[in-house]
Amino acid sequence: MGLPKRFPDRDSIAAVWVDAEKLEPGSEGSERRRLAGRIMARRDMGKLVFLDLVDRSGRIQLLWEEERAGPVDLDLGDLAGVEGVPARTRRGEPSLAVEKAQLLAKIKRPLPDTFHGVTDTETRYRQRYLDLLMNAETRADVELRSRMVAAIRRYLDSQGFLEVETPVLQPRYGGAFAEPFVTHSNELDADLYLRIATELYLKRLIVGGLERVYELGKDFRNESVSYKHAPEFTMVEWYEAYADYEDTMRRIEELVETVARKTIGGTKATFRGHEVDLAAPWKRVKLVDALEERGLWTRDEAELRKRLDAKGVDTAADKTWADLVDHALTNFVEPELIDPTILHDYPVELSPFARATEDDPQIVERFEFFVGGMELGNAFSEINDPDEQAERFAMEGGEEEGDPDYVEALSYGMPPTGGLGLGIDRLAMVLVGQETVRDVILFPSLRPRS
């Protein structure tokens, strides 16, 4: 006779544990309950066997008396369904007194050390299912991330945003500076790119009158891997008509605070050795002021290179003034932005999609926001003039120069718009308290085994 294909009408272990905890020590309840999960511990005491049963909600002790339930025919790691009554041992341990049980799936390989769990980092990433089985902390992190994503959606939905889907395979990639993954469509006989951002398609929807849109999904960048970078990562981007970057600053502060309260029960988190408070309002600093404070603001390329060289920065790979500014930010500004901080008003050379400020055409309405010295995202007041956008494309050159369809879309009129991209994996790092992005991605990209 084969194994059963289902085990209906089961309760959660957490619910039965709560009922058992209400009993007097040494007593049993009367209502029969059904549980299913994995056997994660076994202690034989003659005719009484103690088993630990685990499901997603928690762990409970099973009291198995041979006279009541027959001999135990379950091994460590087996999946089992059991039926019995809530009980509490004389020592006060909430339990289930087993009356009958059935094997649901047989383990074929021995589990790792059930006391220490999976501690080898390589195993944790390559065999995440073992990490989840053995480490309650990993399961808790996964559940927190899931609640975080749900809270982001609830917030945006409550604010009148529409969740949409745009192409992952794109004939032209755009919306950021990155190396794309390239593939080929046999049917279309054309090269296509895995998207590096959703920006240009979402803004087409603003032109189309949807006014408030967002997409939460995967982007791909064929670049280096680090504690905060992965080739496949999750972003939420939103675009809001009739808003600018000031409105967007207030919205991201409100969203992150709201999400923190929903997921970790408050606004304080510990990340990379720092306690940070995610409550609004956040500190705001102009980019020029941040660089001036460190003696690194000048529009003279040679002078900026000289100042960076004097600080021990290798600028050999920096081809332009914009590269040097970016290098200065990365080395001397961003690592010091520990408390939630909005860095705003960027030089136009760094931001081809952002609208110029009213006071200075060389400065654009862009901001990035940081926690624990790590960038969480990027935002603009969007360009809605097709001629200006075409000029910006031409100024940058490269692949993005030829996106006539997007420029044509703008020619039909796009309202003033604020847009933002937030790294889901990075926000999860902050809320969970993990120091590497691989610990908040279930199946991170890894080199092949040698």
Side-chain angles (χ1 to χ4, degrees), residues 23-27 48 50 61 63 65 87-95:
L23 299 171
E24 292 294 324
S27 67
L48 176 62
F50 296 95
Q61 178 175 265
L63 304 178
E65 296 180 274
R88 198 171 179 195
T89 66
R90 285 193 293 271
R91 293 186 177 182
E93 178 69 22
S95 307

Short mmCIF file of all heavy atoms in Angstrom, two decimals, residues 23-27 48 50 61 63 65 87-95:
data_model
loop_
_atom_site.label_atom_id
_atom_site.label_comp_id
_atom_site.label_asym_id
_atom_site.label_seq_id
_atom_site.Cartn_x
_atom_site.Cartn_y
_atom_site.Cartn_z
N LEU A 23 -3.64 23.87 29.64
CA LEU A 23 -3.98 22.75 30.51
C LEU A 23 -3.14 22.76 31.79
O LEU A 23 -2.06 23.32 31.83
CB LEU A 23 -3.76 21.42 29.76
CG LEU A 23 -4.60 21.21 28.49
CD1 LEU A 23 -4.10 19.97 27.75
CD2 LEU A 23 -6.08 21.07 28.84
N GLU A 24 -3.65 22.09 32.81
CA GLU A 24 -2.88 21.90 34.03
C GLU A 24 -1.76 20.89 33.77
O GLU A 24 -1.95 19.94 33.00
CB GLU A 24 -3.77 21.37 35.16
CG GLU A 24 -4.81 22.37 35.65
CD GLU A 24 -4.16 23.57 36.33
OE1 GLU A 24 -3.13 23.37 37.02
OE2 GLU A 24 -4.67 24.69 36.16
N PRO A 25 -0.58 21.06 34.37
CA PRO A 25 0.49 20.08 34.20
C PRO A 25 0.01 18.67 34.56
O PRO A 25 -0.69 18.47 35.56
CB PRO A 25 1.57 20.57 35.16
CG PRO A 25 1.35 22.04 35.26
CD PRO A 25 -0.15 22.21 35.19
N GLY A 26 0.38 17.70 33.70
CA GLY A 26 -0.01 16.31 33.93
C GLY A 26 -1.40 15.96 33.45
O GLY A 26 -1.91 14.87 33.75
N SER A 27 -2.06 16.85 32.70
CA SER A 27 -3.44 16.59 32.25
C SER A 27 -3.52 16.58 30.73
O SER A 27 -2.59 16.97 30.03
CB SER A 27 -4.39 17.64 32.81
OG SER A 27 -4.11 18.92 32.24
N LEU A 48 7.59 4.78 26.47
CA LEU A 48 7.17 6.14 26.13
C LEU A 48 8.24 6.78 25.27
O LEU A 48 9.42 6.78 25.62
CB LEU A 48 6.96 6.97 27.40
CG LEU A 48 6.60 8.45 27.20
CD1 LEU A 48 5.27 8.58 26.46
CD2 LEU A 48 6.55 9.18 28.54
N PHE A 50 9.30 10.28 23.11
CA PHE A 50 9.06 11.70 22.87
C PHE A 50 9.57 12.04 21.47
O PHE A 50 10.73 11.77 21.14
CB PHE A 50 9.79 12.57 23.90
CG PHE A 50 9.32 12.38 25.30
CD1 PHE A 50 9.98 11.49 26.14
CD2 PHE A 50 8.23 13.07 25.80
CE1 PHE A 50 9.56 11.31 27.45
CE2 PHE A 50 7.80 12.89 27.11
CZ PHE A 50 8.46 12.01 27.93
N GLN A 61 5.92 18.90 21.06
CA GLN A 61 6.34 17.57 21.50
C GLN A 61 5.19 16.58 21.33
O GLN A 61 4.04 16.88 21.68
CB GLN A 61 6.76 17.63 22.97
CG GLN A 61 7.17 16.30 23.56
CD GLN A 61 7.70 16.48 24.98
OE1 GLN A 61 8.90 16.59 25.19
NE2 GLN A 61 6.80 16.52 25.95
N LEU A 63 3.77 12.95 22.58
CA LEU A 63 3.87 11.90 23.60
C LEU A 63 3.33 10.61 22.99
O LEU A 63 2.15 10.52 22.66
CB LEU A 63 3.04 12.27 24.84
CG LEU A 63 3.36 13.62 25.50
CD1 LEU A 63 2.43 13.85 26.68
CD2 LEU A 63 4.81 13.66 25.95
N GLU A 65 2.82 6.71 23.56
CA GLU A 65 2.81 5.53 24.41
C GLU A 65 2.42 4.33 23.57
O GLU A 65 1.40 4.35 22.87
CB GLU A 65 1.81 5.71 25.55
CG GLU A 65 2.15 6.84 26.50
CD GLU A 65 1.12 6.98 27.60
OE1 GLU A 65 0.11 7.68 27.36
OE2 GLU A 65 1.32 6.38 28.68
N ALA A 87 -2.05 17.85 25.34
CA ALA A 87 -1.65 17.38 26.67
C ALA A 87 -0.56 18.29 27.20
O ALA A 87 0.06 19.05 26.45
CB ALA A 87 -1.16 15.93 26.60
N ARG A 88 -0.35 18.20 28.52
CA ARG A 88 0.74 18.94 29.13
C ARG A 88 1.45 18.01 30.12
O ARG A 88 0.79 17.40 30.96
CB ARG A 88 0.21 20.18 29.85
CG ARG A 88 1.29 21.22 30.13
CD ARG A 88 0.68 22.50 30.64
NE ARG A 88 1.73 23.49 30.92
CZ ARG A 88 1.54 24.59 31.64
NH1 ARG A 88 0.34 24.85 32.13
NH2 ARG A 88 2.53 25.41 31.85
N THR A 89 2.75 17.86 29.95
CA THR A 89 3.49 16.95 30.81
C THR A 89 3.52 17.47 32.23
O THR A 89 3.21 18.62 32.51
CB THR A 89 4.93 16.77 30.30
OG1 THR A 89 5.62 18.02 30.42
CG2 THR A 89 4.94 16.32 28.84
N ARG A 90 3.97 16.58 33.13
CA ARG A 90 4.07 16.99 34.53
C ARG A 90 5.04 18.16 34.70
O ARG A 90 4.91 18.95 35.63
CB ARG A 90 4.50 15.80 35.39
CG ARG A 90 3.37 14.79 35.61
CD ARG A 90 3.73 13.80 36.71
NE ARG A 90 4.83 12.95 36.30
CZ ARG A 90 4.68 11.79 35.66
NH1 ARG A 90 3.46 11.38 35.35
NH2 ARG A 90 5.74 11.06 35.33
N ARG A 91 6.02 18.24 33.80
CA ARG A 91 6.97 19.35 33.85
C ARG A 91 6.43 20.61 33.15
O ARG A 91 7.12 21.62 33.08
CB ARG A 91 8.29 18.94 33.22
CG ARG A 91 9.02 17.86 34.01
CD ARG A 91 10.39 17.60 33.40
NE ARG A 91 11.14 16.62 34.18
CZ ARG A 91 12.38 16.23 33.91
NH1 ARG A 91 12.99 16.75 32.84
NH2 ARG A 91 13.00 15.35 34.66
N GLY A 92 5.24 20.51 32.59
CA GLY A 92 4.60 21.69 32.01
C GLY A 92 4.81 21.88 30.53
O GLY A 92 4.45 22.93 29.98
N GLU A 93 5.36 20.85 29.81
CA GLU A 93 5.64 21.01 28.38
C GLU A 93 4.36 20.78 27.56
O GLU A 93 3.76 19.70 27.61
CB GLU A 93 6.70 20.01 27.93
CG GLU A 93 7.03 20.04 26.45
CD GLU A 93 7.74 21.31 26.01
OE1 GLU A 93 8.35 21.98 26.88
OE2 GLU A 93 7.69 21.63 24.81
N PRO A 94 3.90 21.81 26.78
CA PRO A 94 2.75 21.59 25.90
C PRO A 94 3.06 20.50 24.87
O PRO A 94 4.13 20.50 24.26
CB PRO A 94 2.55 22.96 25.22
CG PRO A 94 3.22 23.93 26.15
CD PRO A 94 4.39 23.19 26.73
N SER A 95 2.11 19.59 24.68
CA SER A 95 2.37 18.41 23.86
C SER A 95 1.09 17.96 23.17
O SER A 95 0.01 18.52 23.37
CB SER A 95 2.91 17.25 24.73
OG SER A 95 4.01 17.66 25.51
#
